[in-house]
Amino acid sequence: MNKISDFFSRTSRKRVLCQSFFFGAIATMGVISNTFSLGSKAYGQTPAPIANNTQINSYAQAVLAMEPARQNAFEEIKKLIGNGEIPKIVCNDSNSINGLPRKAQDIAVNYCNRSQKIVQDNGLSIDQFNKITIELQNNDILKQQVYNTLLRLQKSPDSP
């Protein structure tokens, strides 16, 4: 399988990869996120890290594996809807899916099911994946770790 980086010049590869992966990760969160509620927390002196290196690697592998399917689903739904704005699709929110035309609903449900399987096949629960995705929005250290892992996986000959 061709690597995404093969399609870009060396000068813009890093910038394009960064934008693509993080926009993809954020979009993926919107598509497969579960209701995420935080209960009361006991705060200690040092908060536990949201993810360890194994989880970060699994997260990055899942994002890379989901991205082509996400782009395909988005393009298919875009064709069906036409010039209209594509609404935010959240897998566990039936209202977000039910508001789509029937064929688009099928595409969204199929994508949600495939994404859930990809996440689980990469060793994470949906809750773990969603927690990391949410944390990426506010944690620059985690964002850099995921970014570096995505770059490393893209350079690796046996990447997904």
Side-chain angles (χ1 to χ4, degrees), residues 7 16 18-19 27 36 40 42 55 63 66-67 74 76 80 84 90-91 103 110-111 120 134 137 144 148 156 160:
F7 297 112
V16 172
C18 178
Q19 291 172 348
F36 185 71
S40 61
Q55 291 169 323
V63 168
M66 281 188 284
E67 186 59 16
F74 180 82
E76 288 180 47
L80 291 171
V90 180
C91 291
K103 286 184 180 182
N110 185 26
Y111 172 73
Q120 292 169 336
I134 290 167
Q137 296 173 20
Q144 188 64 46
N148 290 340
S156 172

Side-chain angles (χ1 to χ4, degrees), residues 138-157:
N138 301 314
N139 185 329
D140 289 337
I141 294 170
L142 180 62
K143 192 180 295 185
Q144 188 64 46
Q145 290 172 322
V146 170
Y147 174 75
N148 290 340
T149 303
L150 288 166
L151 286 177
R152 180 180 49 78
L153 291 172
Q154 279 293 289
K155 292 177 184 176
S156 172

Side-chain angles (χ1 to χ4, degrees), residues 53-74:
N53 288 338
T54 301
Q55 291 169 323
I56 291 170
N57 193 60
S58 295
Y59 179 88
Q61 288 175 332
V63 168
L64 286 173
M66 281 188 284
E67 186 59 16
R70 185 194 67 79
Q71 288 178 359
N72 287 340
F74 180 82

Side-chain angles (χ1 to χ4, degrees), residues 80-100:
L80 291 171
I81 292 178
N83 290 335
E85 186 177 327
I86 297 176
K88 182 177 178 182
I89 300 168
V90 180
C91 291
N92 70 329
D93 179 5
S94 59
N95 291 330
S96 73
I97 294 175
N98 290 339
L100 297 170

Side-chain angles (χ1 to χ4, degrees), residues 28-37 90-93 116 120 125-131 134:
T28 300
M29 181 208 54
V31 176
I32 68 167
S33 68
N34 286 329
T35 304
F36 185 71
S37 62
V90 180
C91 291
N92 70 329
D93 179 5
Q116 183 174 7
Q120 292 169 336
S125 70
I126 297 301
D127 284 343
Q128 288 172 313
F129 183 88
N130 290 338
K131 284 178 185 178
I134 290 167

